[in-house]
Amino acid sequence: MTTSPNSVVRQIHSNKRHSNRIYTVLEYNYIVFPITLGLLFYIFKKAIDVTGYYVSVFEDGWNRSAIVHAVLYGLFLLLQMPPCGNTLGLCLPMRPNKLSTHPKTRRLGTLYVCLVTKGANVQTVVNSVRCWDNLPQRDHPSVRYHVVLDSNDPGDLPSLLPSYVTIDQVPDVVPVKKARFKARALEHFQHKYRFSKEDWVLHLDEESEIDDRVMRTTFDFIERGTADFGMGTIYYTSTNHWKNAFLSAAEVSRLAEDFGRFQLPIRMFRRPLLGWIHGSWILINGEIENKIGWDTDNVCEDYWFGYHAAAQGFKFEWLHALVREQPPCTLTDLWNQRRRWYTGILSFDRIIVRLALISGLLGGLGTFMFPVIGMLGVRIAVPHWYRDFIIFNDAANLHVLLSSCILQDFNLTDLSWISRVWHAVMTCTLGPIVHFVHIMALLSTMLYPARGFVVIRKA
């Protein structure tokens, strides 16, 4: 069903206001979330005092079951790389508006807003481009808007896009050695425009919806920052939000992981963890585009690019603005999407990269395994302080899931409080199942890697 332009415009303005409200909260994340974590720990502990949970206090020191539990629990924490990374990323100061107060130290040549599509999801592309229509920066002399179309048959898409958008159709023959699929399209775009050091490319997927804050953050990053590569937060709220509880819960788990595996290394060390970056809402300096390029046969081309950019010493920074996308429409789409990611990462010739993927998923397994065992009636006796340590970690894992779910829902204007509470309950309930599916997808990929680049369906 086609969405009317007026309704899209109203939705964009409304979501922009909520995006700014979210960052009003995140400006004080180092105060807000430690307090909410402390409250949840207190409530959790009081509830466990009544129910018994799966541990009891053993006052005479350590026993065999407590030692075995501590060894396994410690191993799972270490495998998370870093331990409790999601909680640290949520609670350490973000300072989302810091660049807006810095002086301008760099000149902007041309900013290329680059949306890549196979052309299979036409209405999705049209909806994303409509978000550009009312941007205050739309007529900025340094901004160029491009849709890179990787298809021999453009169909009706060119006639549905506004005149200020340049359509770059990928030719049959592109001078590449290995690049395929999206990497081939990006390599064509890079070859065609040959960026200068003052040029930048804002990479978007076909369903990426941006607003004024995204553009303002982009300009501040370019003109007032010092980093070469930016990556920002993605909320999965544009379409099909909680139409399917499992699929939406899976995206909440991605958002929770964003605070740790993605944000934390960039905010602390100005580089990603072994190349963990998104494929959308990334801002790359033209010098990096030219130096690294996209000529890779890796089906996870974004991870490949991020790994090599970090390895060559380019500096990264987090972009504090929200791009709205949508979750996969079906479980099959989610399964194929995850398998493609895992295939690309496991194809790296660096064993540390492959081990990081495997250990991260196995480390997350401990988050759910021990509470589930407790629900089955297993009880162990541990020292008092260790019991509190276990409860705190379980509360912290629950807290980051709840915080991610609530923040994402806060981006929407038409949700009732009952719906928000229900989403939070389902997120916590389905979290273990989501993680189990991810592990099964990883195991299946290790046995037989994904073939090709499956474009998932968009509503």
Side-chain angles (χ1 to χ4, degrees):
M1 183 175 67
T2 302
T3 306
S4 71
N6 289 336
S7 66
V8 171
V9 170
R10 287 194 299 270
Q11 186 183 46
I12 292 166
H13 290 317
S14 181
N15 289 326
K16 170 190 167 184
R17 290 194 299 271
H18 275 237
S19 175
N20 289 334
R21 286 172 57 189
I22 286 172
Y23 280 102
T24 300
V25 174
L26 293 182
E27 180 75 26
Y28 303 98
N29 75 298
Y30 59 96
I31 298 173
V32 173
F33 293 114
I35 291 174
T36 55
L37 173 56
L39 289 173
L40 184 61
F41 169 61
Y42 177 81
I43 295 170
F44 210 36
K45 189 172 184 297
K46 290 299 181 183
I48 288 171
D49 288 341
V50 175
T51 62
Y53 198 36
Y54 69 96
V55 289
S56 57
V57 175
F58 182 69
E59 298 291 359
D60 296 332
W62 289 88
N63 57 40
R64 184 174 180 275
S65 63
I67 293 173
V68 170
H69 184 282
V71 170
L72 291 175
Y73 203 76
L75 177 62
F76 279 119
L77 283 177
L78 291 175
L79 287 174
Q80 290 176 14
M81 298 182 63
C84 305
N86 295 347
T87 297
L88 288 173
L90 184 66
C91 295
L92 292 179
M94 292 183 185
R95 299 177 61 207
N97 300 311
K98 65 178 181 180
L99 285 180
S100 63
T101 60
H102 288 187
K104 293 184 179 182
T105 57
R106 295 194 293 202
R107 179 184 175 276
L108 169 61
T110 300
L111 170 62
Y112 296 87
V113 179
C114 173
L115 183 151
V116 180
T117 180
K118 286 287 290 183
N121 300 300
V122 173
Q123 188 59 48
T124 298
V125 176
V126 172
N127 290 343
S128 297
V129 171
R130 281 176 182 165
C131 294
W132 305 348
D133 287 347
N134 294 279
L135 292 173
Q137 303 84 358
R138 201 201 82 178
D139 297 320
H140 192 285
S142 294
V143 182
R144 304 287 184 271
Y145 295 91
H146 294 258
V147 169
V148 180
L149 179 60
D150 188 14
S151 173
N152 291 325
D153 181 15
D156 296 331
L157 184 58
S159 64
L160 297 173
L161 299 180
S163 59
Y164 65 85
V165 175
T166 301
I167 299 176
D168 296 286
Q169 189 168 354
V170 181
D172 291 334
V173 178
V174 178
V176 297
K177 296 179 181 178
K178 298 183 293 183
R180 301 179 298 161
F181 314 122
K182 185 179 178 180
R184 177 175 172 273
L186 292 172
E187 182 73 357
H188 164 70
F189 189 75
Q190 183 265 329
H191 273 286
K192 182 175 181 178
Y193 291 100
R194 287 296 176 185
F195 314 116
S196 74
K197 189 176 181 179
E198 294 180 340
D199 294 334
W200 294 78
V201 184
L202 174 56
H203 289 279
L204 303 172
D205 282 341
E206 61 183 1
E207 75 272 25
S208 304
E209 297 182 357
I210 64 176
D211 62 13
D212 175 37
R213 184 181 178 95
V214 168
M215 295 301 289
R216 285 189 288 111
T217 301
T218 296
F219 273 85
D220 285 342
F221 181 95
I222 294 170
E223 297 177 328
R224 304 175 191 272
T226 58
D228 311 294
F229 194 121
M231 177 169 66
T233 303
I234 297 174
Y235 278 7
Y236 303 92
T237 58
S238 65
T239 304
N240 288 340
H241 185 57
W242 285 97
K243 292 293 190 295
N244 180 301
F246 179 83
L247 298 176
S248 290
E251 301 315 302
V252 172
S253 72
R254 286 178 66 189
L255 185 57
E257 191 178 56
D258 231 28
F259 290 111
R261 179 168 291 185
F262 290 85
Q263 280 198 45
L264 188 62
I266 288 177
R267 283 162 46 200
M268 292 188 67
F269 307 112
R270 304 195 72 186
R271 59 185 296 136
L273 174 65
L274 297 174
W276 286 98
I277 68 167
H278 299 151
S280 179
W281 190 197
I282 51 177
L283 178 64
I284 307 177
N285 181 259
E287 182 182 24
I288 310 181
E289 290 265 353
N290 294 336
K291 187 170 184 179
I292 298 176
W294 297 92
D295 196 358
T296 175
D297 57 358
N298 194 305
V299 293
C300 200
E301 76 292 325
D302 46 4
Y303 191 105
W304 179 90
F305 192 100
Y307 178 88
H308 287 283
Q312 295 189 32
F314 292 106
K315 300 303 180 184
F316 290 66
E317 190 81 50
W318 197 260
L319 293 159
H320 290 287
L322 304 178
V323 164
R324 300 172 68 245
E325 296 189 356
Q326 59 181 273
C329 294
T330 66
L331 180 59
T332 300
D333 284 337
L334 181 142
W335 180 264
N336 289 333
Q337 182 189 62
R338 269 46 169 187
R339 276 178 40 80
R340 177 174 64 81
W341 296 344
Y342 300 156
T343 296
I345 297 171
L346 290 173
S347 69
F348 264 71
D349 59 358
R350 303 288 190 276
I351 190 170
I352 185 64
V353 171
R354 301 195 294 271
L355 288 177
L357 172 64
I358 297 169
S359 69
L361 282 173
L362 292 180
L365 181 63
T367 300
F368 304 104
M369 186 178 75
F370 294 111
V372 169
I373 291 174
M375 293 175 189
L376 296 176
V378 177
R379 295 291 183 271
I380 61 172
V382 299
H384 192 283
W385 71 267
Y386 186 63
R387 174 179 179 269
D388 287 349
F389 174 75
I390 294 171
I391 295 171
F392 177 81
N393 275 289
D394 288 346
N397 292 325
L398 183 65
H399 176 257
V400 75
L401 272 178
L402 287 172
S403 299
S404 301
C405 180
I406 292 169
L407 282 170
Q408 187 166 244
D409 278 357
F410 194 47
N411 184 236
L412 299 173
T413 60
D414 55 353
L415 282 180
S416 67
W417 282 106
I418 294 177
S419 295
R420 297 173 196 270
V421 171
W422 177 247
H423 295 168
V425 171
M426 293 305 295
T427 291
C428 298
T429 304
L430 294 171
I433 304 174
V434 167
H435 200 82
F436 177 77
V437 170
H438 285 165
I439 290 177
M440 290 299 100
L442 174 63
L443 292 176
S444 75
T445 304
M446 294 172 70
L447 293 173
Y448 54 98
R451 296 182 180 276
F453 192 107
V454 177
V455 178
I456 67 173
R457 289 167 289 174
K458 308 289 169 44

